[in-house]
Amino acid sequence: MDDKIPGVTIRRLPVYLRVLRQLQTENVEIISSAKLSQRTGFSSEQIRKDFAYFGAFGTRGVGYQTDVLRKTLMKILGLDKGIGVAIIGAGNLGTALARYNIERHEEIEISAIFDNDPDKIGTKIADDVTVSSIDDLEAIVGEKDIKMGVLTVPPEAAQDVAEAMVSAGVKAFLNFTPVKLEFEDANPYVQNIDLSVEFQSLAYYTNLDG
Amino acid sequence: MDDKIPGVTIRRLPVYLRVLRQLQTENVEIISSAKLSQRTGFSSEQIRKDFAYFGAFGTRGVGYQTDVLRKTLMKILGLDKGIGVAIIGAGNLGTALARYNIERHEEIEISAIFDNDPDKIGTKIADDVTVSSIDDLEAIVGEKDIKMGVLTVPPEAAQDVAEAMVSAGVKAFLNFTPVKLEFEDANPYVQNIDLSVEFQSLAYYTNLDG
DNA sequence: GACTGTGAATAAGTTCACAGCT
DNA sequence: AGCTGTGAACTTATTCACAGTC
């Protein structure tokens, strides 16, 4: 039941989760891969393959129970227990992400946001989120058992901050800086989101006919 | 020279551009695919393959001229001429992106930002960027010849806004909403960035050893 | 009859390996 | 000798097609 799940599959799970939440508000108790296909845009075969990685939990001739499916996917992603996140860099993007995230994800909690600007430290970004000094990074990350870091610092600070976080126990990063992070002993998971890449690559398609 | 370039290659071009800009400030005039590999993290074969899509412009035994390469890549992406972008939704994320982008990309200019909140309309987000009413969307997009749209609106508004933009001439979207956009006649390019997917899928990796 | 689960076929992208210039 | 350009091998992901279950 736990043979190396491809990253592409993992990244589809939150989409399934979103649809399943919707379906539950609509009181839909059973759903077929074909219907899920309509709602997600993924092919029905792909959906069945994805679910099969976690063992078969559909019923042939019937479909999947939305409730069971949702709970299973939550558990696989580890969203059944709360996850603490720290955002490093309380600039435009960091602040926006803190607020954005708090609105949407109960399971993923912004536990702290850090900056090195004295004017920002102590500022309240959102309910329950106040900017801490980056000097307290390791202490707070350890204390609050933070496992996930979001990097929205200037590029030159990224590598150092990331290393400090890893030694404090962070296992995974959302890296919004254009820096290719490298680690010696530890091997945290790094998901890069490079907004320059998004904007500039999109330019290519504005010149094409479609 | 122009046989269907894979999307993955297009998305690597901005990374090459960033490195090439750095190299030029360091006065490096010639660069090998091996050196580019070190700086980008992509394999040297991959880099050569990518460049080969646009015709061979390296010199065997020598390498690539940074200046020629940079100009070629800029041209392929269409960054040699300015590109107008509109952001729809002046919330946390939209505002952050407007400011973020203005700092970094001269070639990609935020030409307008729209919202439907009367309190926001007329507000200055950054130098030269003031929030316009969404009622003026089509007029302004047409007038300023905007080709790229960034959607940071609430999900329920996304489809309508996108359609209005397409009829005004927008060719490509950066879609930060979780909505699967669909179009009838036109076929704009849509790049989805789903922050919920990023956060939730990352949770999976915080539970793994690596 | 409806829908899942899965091997087999295909497609897309990456790495290998080496011939070909300079 | 050094480095590009590229066909061939390989790897990864998706789609096809159908047997199996309810």
Side-chain angles (χ1 to χ4, degrees):
Chain A
M1 149 159 185
D2 213 34
D3 257 316
K4 218 57 203 141
I5 299 150
V8 281
T9 293
I10 294 296
R11 289 176 62 82
R12 280 191 290 264
L13 303 190
V15 179
Y16 300 136
L17 272 180
R18 180 153 48 215
V19 171
L20 288 167
R21 262 192 299 266
Q22 285 166 14
L23 288 168
Q24 290 198 295
T25 67
E26 297 166 21
N27 293 310
V28 176
E29 292 183 2
I30 302 276
I31 187 86
S32 66
S33 58
K35 290 255 174 61
L36 278 173
S37 173
Q38 285 169 27
R39 296 246 200 172
T40 59
F42 310 140
S43 75
S44 60
E45 307 91 307
Q46 180 141 81
I47 292 170
R48 295 198 298 277
K49 274 247 155 95
D50 282 346
F51 295 168
Y53 281 111
F54 315 111
F57 44 71
T59 310
R60 294 180 184 211
V62 180
Y64 301 87
Q65 278 185 271
T66 51
D67 185 53
V68 174
L69 192 49
R70 206 194 90 255
K71 283 181 182 146
T72 308
L73 299 184
M74 290 281 281
K75 192 155 189 183
I76 290 158
L77 286 175
L79 298 172
D80 52 339
K81 44 190 185 296
I83 293 174
V85 180
I87 296 177
I88 328 300
N92 291 316
L93 194 56
T95 306
L97 290 172
R99 292 181 178 145
Y100 173 91
N101 195 72
I102 280 160
E103 282 172 35
R104 323 230 161 195
H105 308 295
E106 323 75 51
E107 322 86 19
I108 295 179
E109 187 201 351
I110 305 296
S111 305
I113 180 163
F114 297 91
D115 207 291
N116 65 357
D117 178 349
D119 291 348
K120 286 180 182 163
I121 295 164
T123 308
K124 196 171 178 180
I125 294 284
D127 285 352
D128 295 334
V129 186
T130 301
V131 180
S132 301
S133 166
I134 199 133
D135 297 336
D136 301 329
L137 182 73
E138 299 195 48
I140 293 176
V141 166
E143 182 193 310
K144 295 202 176 175
D145 196 34
I146 289 170
K147 293 284 176 249
M148 214 164 123
V150 178
L151 297 171
T152 55
V153 294
E156 56 277 15
Q159 182 66 47
D160 286 352
V161 165
E163 283 173 17
M165 294 190 87
V166 167
S167 29
V170 166
K171 301 285 191 205
F173 290 98
L174 217 48
N175 176 26
F176 284 89
T177 78
V179 176
K180 188 163 72 82
L181 299 172
E182 317 216 49
F183 301 92
E184 302 259 288
D185 314 306
N187 185 24
Y189 182 83
V190 179
Q191 177 66 50
N192 296 301
I193 301 182
D194 189 329
L195 293 174
S196 295
V197 167
E198 303 300 343
F199 275 96
Q200 294 187 355
S201 61
L202 207 64
Y204 176 78
Y205 297 98
T206 64
N207 301 310
L208 258 54
D209 303 308
Chain B
M1 148 158 183
D2 212 35
D3 258 316
K4 221 49 202 150
I5 298 150
V8 279
T9 293
I10 294 297
R11 289 176 62 83
R12 281 191 289 264
L13 302 191
V15 180
Y16 299 137
L17 273 180
R18 180 153 48 217
V19 171
L20 288 167
R21 263 191 299 268
Q22 284 166 13
L23 288 168
Q24 291 199 295
T25 67
E26 296 166 22
N27 294 310
V28 176
E29 292 182 4
I30 301 275
I31 187 87
S32 66
S33 59
K35 290 253 175 62
L36 278 173
S37 173
Q38 287 169 25
R39 296 245 198 172
T40 60
F42 310 139
S43 74
S44 61
E45 307 90 307
Q46 179 139 81
I47 291 170
R48 295 199 299 277
K49 275 251 155 91
D50 282 347
F51 294 169
Y53 281 111
F54 314 112
F57 44 72
T59 310
R60 292 179 186 212
V62 181
Y64 301 88
Q65 278 186 271
T66 51
D67 184 54
V68 173
L69 191 50
R70 208 194 90 254
K71 283 181 183 148
T72 307
L73 298 183
M74 290 282 280
K75 192 156 189 183
I76 290 158
L77 286 175
L79 297 172
D80 51 339
K81 43 190 187 298
I83 292 174
V85 179
I87 296 177
I88 329 299
N92 291 318
L93 194 56
T95 306
L97 290 173
R99 292 181 177 144
Y100 174 91
N101 195 72
I102 280 160
E103 282 173 35
R104 323 230 160 194
H105 308 294
E106 323 76 49
E107 323 85 20
I108 295 179
E109 187 201 351
I110 305 296
S111 306
I113 180 162
F114 296 91
D115 207 291
N116 65 357
D117 179 347
D119 291 346
K120 287 180 181 163
I121 295 165
T123 309
K124 196 170 178 179
I125 294 285
D127 284 352
D128 296 334
V129 186
T130 302
V131 179
S132 301
S133 167
I134 199 133
D135 297 336
D136 301 329
L137 182 73
E138 300 196 46
I140 294 175
V141 166
E143 182 193 309
K144 296 203 177 175
D145 196 35
I146 289 169
K147 295 283 175 248
M148 215 163 123
V150 178
L151 298 171
T152 56
V153 295
E156 56 276 15
Q159 183 65 47
D160 287 351
V161 165
E163 284 174 16
M165 294 190 86
V166 167
S167 27
V170 166
K171 302 284 190 204
F173 289 98
L174 218 49
N175 177 26
F176 284 90
T177 79
V179 176
K180 188 162 73 83
L181 299 173
E182 317 217 49
F183 301 92
E184 302 258 289
D185 315 306
N187 186 24
Y189 181 84
V190 179
Q191 177 66 50
N192 296 302
I193 301 182
D194 190 328
L195 293 174
S196 295
V197 168
E198 304 301 342
F199 276 96
Q200 294 187 355
S201 60
L202 207 64
Y204 177 78
Y205 298 98
T206 64
N207 300 310
L208 257 54
D209 303 308

